Amino acid sequence: MRILNDRRGAVAGDATGALTFDIVVTRHDLRDEAAFRNTGVLDLYAELFPPNERDAPDDIVRWVLSDDVGERREFSVGGRKLSYCLDSRCFILRAEGRAIGLGFFTYDHASELIYCNYVGVAKTWRGGGLAGRFYREMIEMLDALFPRNIGVVLEVEPYDRDRLAAVIGDLERTGVRQLAADQQTEIRRLLRVSWYDKLGYCFFCDARGMQPLECRSPCLDPSLLPSAWGSAEENYWLAWQSRTGAPSAEGERAGELWQRAVAAIYVEILAKSLVDDDPKGRRDYWDYATALVAQTLQRAATTEVRLARCLDADGSELLSRWRRLAIDLPI
């Protein structure tokens, strides 16, 4: 357990001014399923993320408490022996013992990368810099747990600059304060990128135009009919944060790190763990997922990769225009 702050009443209007905040982590402070569920973290998870972005709660429990525990797992697909070694942890920010924030991270021993699956803080607790401090404390704890890690990688939903400019322009002209659902989604994507930028993340970019490289995530539900897998794929940008004190990735190393990150997320962490549940029944899924990843890697094979701040000049301008509208829209 790590005490974050024991005098933080102003964050959510606590009249006593004496709330206790702490961070607990699975398989250290929380060693069994009952203790994990009793924090209320799974209810918070459902509150923070829409159904299409969520993993099954039972799967999360299994990953963080019994499956991804830093031990090598082996299985065979089509006569080929495969193995992987993951360590997943869920960090829970609590106020008076109840979950108000969560971070779900997976360390891949093969690549030495940490993958950020999810991170979030309840809407009523996002003021006063609490979310940023929670994140930084988690990174310190991860560095202690995995001293060989070289940094953190996460997926970011791309935003459409032209679409954002049109949405913000309409709001500026009309003075309308209510946004349609699709408009809210687009703005939130920009706000998330802004937050990652504030935390020090960079995007992997094509050096020719310094636009983020796009990768395509395989369908994450092998139980669907194979004909439906393609429609369940998603495009992402990948954001990177080197471990504190580690050398920055420039030139050729940025390209190698991009390839390493894609393979770690979509093969080592996602595809292998999904296929390991049913190696014989999911042979077709393995072939599909690895082929899609190979296509992503091949498309960028001859690309000169550079790292650049998540929020470029165009994004910063759009963010400034949005903020001048003073419309309350939580991330």
Side-chain angles (χ1 to χ4, degrees):
M1 178 187 299
R2 176 174 293 204
I3 301 298
L4 186 62
N5 193 336
D6 61 358
R7 302 289 295 180
R8 185 62 184 259
V11 175
D14 171 56
T16 68
L19 285 177
T20 298
F21 293 79
D22 59 29
I23 302 172
V24 290
V25 59
T26 49
R27 302 196 346 264
H28 185 273
D29 307 294
L30 306 170
R31 298 181 178 275
D32 59 60
E33 182 175 345
F36 179 65
R37 290 183 181 275
N38 285 342
T39 65
V41 67
L42 294 177
D43 293 332
L44 176 64
Y45 177 61
E47 172 190 320
L48 290 175
F49 299 95
N52 66 305
E53 294 182 13
R54 290 183 222 146
D55 288 303
D58 290 346
D59 286 341
I60 294 176
V61 171
R62 178 167 52 84
W63 291 328
V64 300
L65 292 176
S66 61
D67 280 12
D68 298 350
V69 295
E71 298 176 355
R72 184 167 300 280
R73 298 174 66 94
E74 297 182 347
F75 62 99
S76 295
V77 176
R80 179 187 175 191
K81 292 184 178 179
L82 300 170
S83 66
Y84 64 110
C85 185
L86 308 176
D87 194 320
S88 292
R89 305 286 180 134
C90 185
F91 297 82
I92 304 170
L93 173 63
R94 304 187 303 182
E96 299 299 303
R98 294 298 294 175
I100 62 168
L102 66 92
F104 177 20
F105 295 82
T106 297
Y107 176 62
D108 171 35
H109 284 263
S111 65
E112 299 179 336
L113 301 181
I114 295 172
Y115 171 48
C116 178
N117 298 274
Y118 304 102
V119 63
V121 172
K123 293 178 182 178
T124 55
W125 294 94
R126 292 176 186 170
L130 182 63
R133 187 172 177 196
F134 173 46
Y135 179 83
R136 289 188 289 272
E137 293 284 344
M138 288 191 290
I139 293 301
E140 286 187 12
M141 297 168 77
L142 285 163
D143 285 346
L145 284 168
F146 310 115
R148 293 176 59 89
N149 92 81
I150 61 173
V152 182
V153 64
L154 55 81
E155 298 165 306
V156 180
E157 293 177 303
Y159 64 79
D160 185 316
R161 289 172 173 80
D162 293 337
R163 170 65 175 151
L164 272 172
V167 170
I168 294 172
D170 286 344
L171 294 170
E172 290 171 333
R173 286 190 299 273
T174 63
V176 172
R177 310 287 296 174
Q178 298 296 321
L179 281 73
D182 62 326
Q183 294 176 323
Q184 293 184 30
T185 296
E186 204 66 42
I187 295 293
R188 284 193 173 103
R189 290 182 177 185
L190 174 65
L191 297 179
R192 291 189 190 110
V193 169
S194 172
W195 192 62
Y196 296 137
D197 184 77
K198 187 182 298 184
L199 293 175
Y201 276 91
C202 294
F203 281 139
F204 291 99
C205 297
D206 185 334
R208 291 171 294 184
M210 296 308 293
Q211 295 302 306
L213 290 171
E214 196 166 75
C215 63
R216 193 159 182 83
S217 168
C219 167
L220 302 183
D221 187 357
S223 67
L224 296 176
L225 292 173
S227 59
W229 290 341
S231 61
E233 296 167 3
E234 298 286 349
N235 290 325
Y236 292 104
W237 295 334
L238 295 188
W240 168 255
Q241 184 179 62
S242 295
R243 178 175 177 152
T244 303
S248 59
E250 299 294 342
E252 292 184 2
R253 185 168 177 267
E256 293 172 358
L257 187 57
W258 155 260
Q259 302 263 339
R260 191 171 176 179
V262 171
I265 295 173
Y266 299 114
V267 178
E268 296 297 320
I269 295 175
L270 298 178
K272 285 187 177 180
S273 61
L274 289 171
V275 174
D276 186 21
D277 289 338
D278 183 9
K280 292 183 179 179
R282 295 182 176 175
R283 165 68 186 274
D284 289 347
Y285 178 81
W286 173 256
D287 292 341
Y288 148 77
T290 53
L292 187 63
V293 173
Q295 291 172 16
T296 295
L297 295 175
Q298 183 59 39
R299 283 198 303 270
T302 59
T303 300
E304 183 181 356
V305 181
R306 289 285 185 273
L307 286 167
R309 288 190 58 173
C310 289
L311 206 61
D312 60 12
D314 290 341
S316 295
E317 181 185 1
L318 288 168
L319 182 64
S320 295
R321 290 172 60 189
W322 165 254
R323 285 174 172 166
R324 283 195 293 270
L325 292 168
I327 297 174
D328 182 26
L329 182 66
I331 297 178

